[in-house]
Amino acid sequence: MNIPDEVFRVTSTPADTSNRTIGRWQVSLVPLEREANIRQHKLIHTPTLQCSRLEFDSAVTLISSVPHGYVTFAISQACVGRPTINNHELRPNEIIVLTSDEPAHYTCEPNETLFTLTTTLEHYQQCLESTSTVDVLAKRKEYRFQVANFKSIQSATLAISTYFNDVNNTPLEQRDRSDTSAIEHALLISLLKVLTPAGRSSLKIPTRRKVALAAIEYIHNNLKKALSMKALVKQLETTTRTLHHGFVETFGISPIAYVRNLRLA
C-alpha cells in the first residue's frame, strides 16, 4: 500500500477548522457523517502542473474554483453511488473539466478515489498543438466531458498511476527542469490521448451506445420506479441484447446492477 503524503481529518465539531482546506478545496462533511479521513497522494506539484490522488473513507463536499489561467480535470472511481459535480450526478463515463475561475461544488462518495490534474491553459494549448488529441475544453458540456466508454476512464487513471510510479522512483526535486517539463508534457498528452475517441466511435456513435446513454438518463430520472430489464427495454424501444451489451460496454456494469448500486448509495 502506498503511504499518502498527507492525511486530512474532518469532524463534525464546529470548532475543528484546522484541516478543512486541501490546496484550494474547502472541505465539509455531508449530513449524517461524523468524521472523514482524506488521504492525499501528490504526483507532481510545480507552477505548471499539479496532480494528486485523493482517497475518501466517508462522504464529504469539496468547494473551490479553478485558478485564473488554469484548467482542471477530475476523474472519479466510485464503487457504489455516484459523486455529484455542481448538482449533477457524474456518470461512469464522464470526467470533470473546469477552467479559469469556474466554480466547483463536488460531493464525493464513501471509499471513492478522485484523480485531479490542474495545469496552465498555456501548457494545455501547447499539448494540443503538439499532438492529435481531442480538445476536451471545446467538447465538454456543463463542466463535464463524456468519453466513449468506461475503458477510457480506466485507461486515464492508469496513465496517471503510471506516472505516480515513475515519479516515486526518481522524485521531481532530483530532476532538472527539462526532465520535469518532459514529464508534465507526457502526462497531459497521455491523458488526452486515452480520452480521444478512436475508430468508428470518432465518426459516429454506435446505436448500442446511444441506447445506453438514453438508458442511464432514464434511470437517474426515474429511480423511484420499478426498473426491471423488461421495463427498460420497453421504455427505450430496443432489445435486451442491445441494451445489456451497450450499457456494459459504455459504463462497465449491467443496467440492473447499476440501478442496485444507486439505490444502495
Side-chain angles (χ1 to χ4, degrees):
M1 178 181 293
N2 292 334
I3 299 174
D5 295 292
E6 294 185 74
V7 177
F8 301 85
R9 181 172 176 268
V10 183
T11 72
S12 57
T13 305
D16 178 25
T17 59
S18 60
N19 278 332
R20 290 182 178 269
T21 302
I22 302 177
R24 295 177 61 93
W25 295 100
Q26 294 295 320
V27 184
S28 62
L29 289 170
V30 301
L32 303 180
E33 293 286 359
R34 299 177 63 87
E35 180 181 318
N37 291 294
I38 305 168
R39 296 176 296 278
Q40 182 183 33
H41 302 261
K42 294 181 180 179
L43 168 56
I44 295 177
H45 191 83
T46 70
T48 301
L49 189 146
Q50 303 88 47
C51 186
S52 295
R53 185 177 78 237
L54 299 175
E55 299 168 347
F56 307 91
D57 65 0
S58 300
V60 299
T61 296
L62 307 175
I63 301 173
S64 184
S65 63
V66 178
H68 185 75
Y70 283 76
V71 57
T72 290
F73 306 93
I75 306 171
S76 168
Q77 288 186 323
C79 299
V80 178
R82 297 309 312 155
T84 302
I85 175 68
N86 294 347
N87 297 316
H88 170 84
E89 287 184 311
L90 200 65
R91 307 305 189 240
N93 68 326
E94 291 178 335
I95 69 168
I96 300 166
V97 183
L98 299 161
T99 190
S100 199
D101 301 319
E102 289 182 341
H105 190 284
Y106 186 83
T107 301
C108 76
E109 290 291 321
N111 302 314
E112 178 185 342
T113 297
L114 183 69
F115 293 86
T116 65
L117 186 150
T118 298
T119 190
T120 63
L121 284 169
E122 181 183 5
H123 182 224
Y124 175 74
Q125 289 298 330
Q126 288 173 352
C127 289
L128 285 182
E129 293 168 3
S130 66
T131 188
S132 179
T133 59
V134 64
D135 185 346
V136 175
L137 275 177
K139 298 292 184 180
R140 68 177 183 152
K141 181 180 179 181
E142 296 178 349
Y143 310 115
R144 308 180 310 275
F145 175 75
Q146 196 172 79
V147 303
N149 53 58
F150 84 103
K151 289 183 178 179
S152 295
I153 297 290
Q154 290 179 326
S155 296
T157 57
L158 179 61
I160 293 174
S161 296
T162 298
Y163 281 90
F164 264 105
N165 295 331
D166 180 59
V167 170
N168 284 337
N169 290 334
T170 307
L172 287 178
E173 55 268 23
Q174 297 179 16
R175 302 172 185 262
D176 59 32
R177 179 55 198 159
S178 62
D179 285 343
T180 302
S181 180
I183 290 174
E184 295 168 346
H185 197 72
L187 172 55
L188 183 55
I189 286 179
S190 66
L191 177 61
L192 293 174
K193 280 185 175 180
V194 298
L195 297 177
T196 301
R200 293 183 179 180
S201 294
S202 63
L203 303 174
K204 183 179 179 181
I205 299 176
T207 299
R208 62 185 180 278
R209 185 181 165 212
K210 291 181 180 179
V211 170
L213 295 173
I216 202 166
E217 294 307 316
Y218 183 79
I219 287 170
H220 277 267
N221 292 331
N222 297 274
L223 196 57
K224 294 182 179 180
K225 294 183 178 180
L227 296 175
S228 65
M229 193 69 172
K230 183 176 180 180
L232 290 172
V233 167
K234 182 177 180 181
Q235 173 65 33
L236 298 167
E237 299 180 346
T238 187
T239 65
T240 300
R241 178 182 176 83
T242 297
L243 174 57
H244 176 80
H245 286 284
F247 209 94
V248 171
E249 179 184 296
T250 306
F251 305 117
I253 189 173
S254 72
I256 301 308
Y258 186 77
V259 170
R260 183 168 58 248
N261 283 354
L262 285 180
R263 288 173 172 166
L264 286 173

